[in-house]
């Protein structure tokens, strides 16, 4: 039997709800339900209308859409503690992406009725919710800047440093959250470009790669490294 989720604690830790009172969190938790997804299962398709939004508790969710040429573009990889679908819920427009579990996952679904009722009941709730959404927007703008203005190599290094977490004096070991093909799409690169950059970092003695397992030998050196020629086949270049 799977361990019961502490819904209130999960909601309270979300950036969207960090400005809310305990009583407001408790009211939202009462209208929240759990969802289990198997690896490969689609949560919703592009074009669906969402009557709420989702929080990943365990697992990994891919948000993606297909280009007119039929190629898949991964917009986001949503891991534990992260949410998705809020903007579409508020706009009440068809969802521009599909959502699929990349591994067995457990989610929370927060219905919009509870959110809208709280807004109608308390204007201060709306202001605190707006503060949380503003924090999310700031993060999205930073994400767009990182993946639009930085070089291919900088994008890969930034992604690895983000996965590595807090800097350490010695080697740092972690695993890639998804296949290299999916990660390449997320970083707006071709798989070949991603493989070439990783190979160059290996040759430079900055990382070692064993399947999805990455070892960063020196975080400081990796963060300062960007003297590779920029690959010409990055998408959108």
């Amino acid at each position: 039997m799977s361990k019961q989720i502490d819904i209130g604690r999960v909601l309270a830790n979300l950036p969207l709800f960090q400005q809310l009172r305990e009583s407001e969190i408790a009211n939202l938790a009462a209208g929240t339900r759990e969802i289990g997804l198997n690896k490969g299962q689609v949560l919703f398709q592009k074009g669906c209308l969402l009557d709420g939004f989702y929080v990943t508790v365990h697992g990994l969710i891919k948000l993606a859409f297909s280009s007119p040429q039929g190629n898949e573009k991964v917009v986001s990889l949503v891991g534990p503690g992260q949410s998705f679908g809020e903007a579409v819920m508020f706009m009440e427009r068809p969802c521009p992406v599909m959502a699929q579990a990349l591994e067995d996952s457990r989610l929370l679904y927060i219905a919009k009725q509870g959110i809208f009722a709280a807004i109608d009941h308390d204007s201060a709730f709306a202001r605190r919710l707006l503060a949380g959404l503003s924090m999310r927007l700031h993060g999205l703008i930073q994400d767009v800047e990182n993946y639009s203005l930085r070089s291919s190599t900088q994008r890969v290094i930034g992604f690895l440093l983000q996965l590595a977490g807090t800097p350490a004096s010695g080697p740092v070991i972690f695993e890639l959250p998804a296949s290299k093909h999916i990660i390449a799409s997320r970083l707006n690169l071709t798989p070949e470009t991603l493989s070439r950059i990783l190979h160059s970092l290996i040759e430079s003695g900055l990382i070692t790669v064993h399947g999805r397992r990455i070892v960063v030998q020196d975080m400081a050196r990796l963060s300062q490294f960007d003297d590779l020629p920029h690959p010409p086949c990055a998408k959108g270049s």
Side-chain angles (χ1 to χ4, degrees):
M1 181 180 295
S2 58
K3 184 179 179 181
Q4 186 175 4
I5 297 174
D6 186 341
I7 293 177
R9 185 172 67 178
V10 173
L11 296 182
N13 287 332
L14 287 177
L16 184 62
F17 296 145
Q18 283 181 354
Q19 302 296 321
L20 302 186
R21 302 188 188 98
E22 288 187 13
S23 59
E24 293 167 333
I25 293 292
N27 289 336
L28 291 175
T32 297
R33 62 184 174 91
E34 298 182 29
I35 297 176
L37 294 176
N38 296 322
K39 180 179 179 180
Q41 187 174 350
V42 174
L43 178 62
F44 57 77
Q45 294 283 4
K46 178 181 177 182
C48 288
L49 292 173
L50 301 185
D51 291 325
F53 70 97
Y54 301 87
V55 179
T56 304
V57 181
H58 302 296
L60 187 67
I61 303 298
K62 174 184 71 176
L63 304 182
F65 63 85
S66 295
S67 69
Q69 295 75 29
N71 299 319
E72 182 180 77
K73 166 58 183 171
V74 178
V75 176
S76 183
L77 298 173
V78 188
Q82 297 177 309
S83 60
F84 59 99
E86 304 96 319
V88 177
M89 176 193 72
F90 281 110
M91 291 189 300
E92 299 184 332
R93 294 181 179 179
C95 191
V97 297
M98 59 86 76
Q100 182 182 30
L102 294 180
E103 55 189 61
D104 291 347
S105 303
R106 295 180 72 196
L107 311 176
L108 294 180
Y109 172 76
I110 298 95
K112 71 178 182 181
Q113 289 86 350
I115 299 290
F116 289 2
I119 291 174
D120 292 339
H121 181 263
D122 183 2
S123 61
F125 176 94
R127 289 194 296 272
R128 287 188 290 273
L129 193 61
L130 181 59
L133 283 171
S134 298
M135 291 170 59
R136 181 71 178 272
L137 177 61
H138 179 76
L140 289 173
I141 292 174
Q142 186 177 38
D143 187 64
V144 170
E145 180 181 7
N146 288 340
Y147 295 128
S148 299
L149 302 180
R150 301 171 74 185
S151 70
S152 300
T153 299
Q154 288 174 331
R155 275 177 265 168
V156 174
I157 289 175
F159 184 75
L160 295 178
L161 292 174
Q162 184 180 34
L163 292 175
T166 305
S169 56
V172 178
I173 303 173
F174 57 90
E175 289 194 2
L176 297 176
S179 69
K180 293 174 184 175
H181 180 83
I182 290 174
I183 290 173
S185 179
R186 175 67 183 94
L187 298 178
N188 205 32
L189 304 171
T190 64
E192 295 79 12
T193 298
L194 175 61
S195 294
R196 185 158 54 247
I197 292 173
L198 290 176
H199 184 69
S200 296
L201 295 176
I202 293 170
E203 286 189 330
S204 300
L206 295 171
I207 65 172
T208 57
V209 179
H210 305 282
R212 288 192 182 184
R213 184 171 178 264
I214 306 289
V215 180
V216 177
Q217 304 297 339
D218 188 322
M219 293 277 284
R221 282 186 60 209
L222 180 63
S223 65
Q224 297 168 5
F225 186 81
D226 188 32
D227 60 356
L228 298 176
H230 297 164
C233 54
K235 297 178 184 177
S237 58

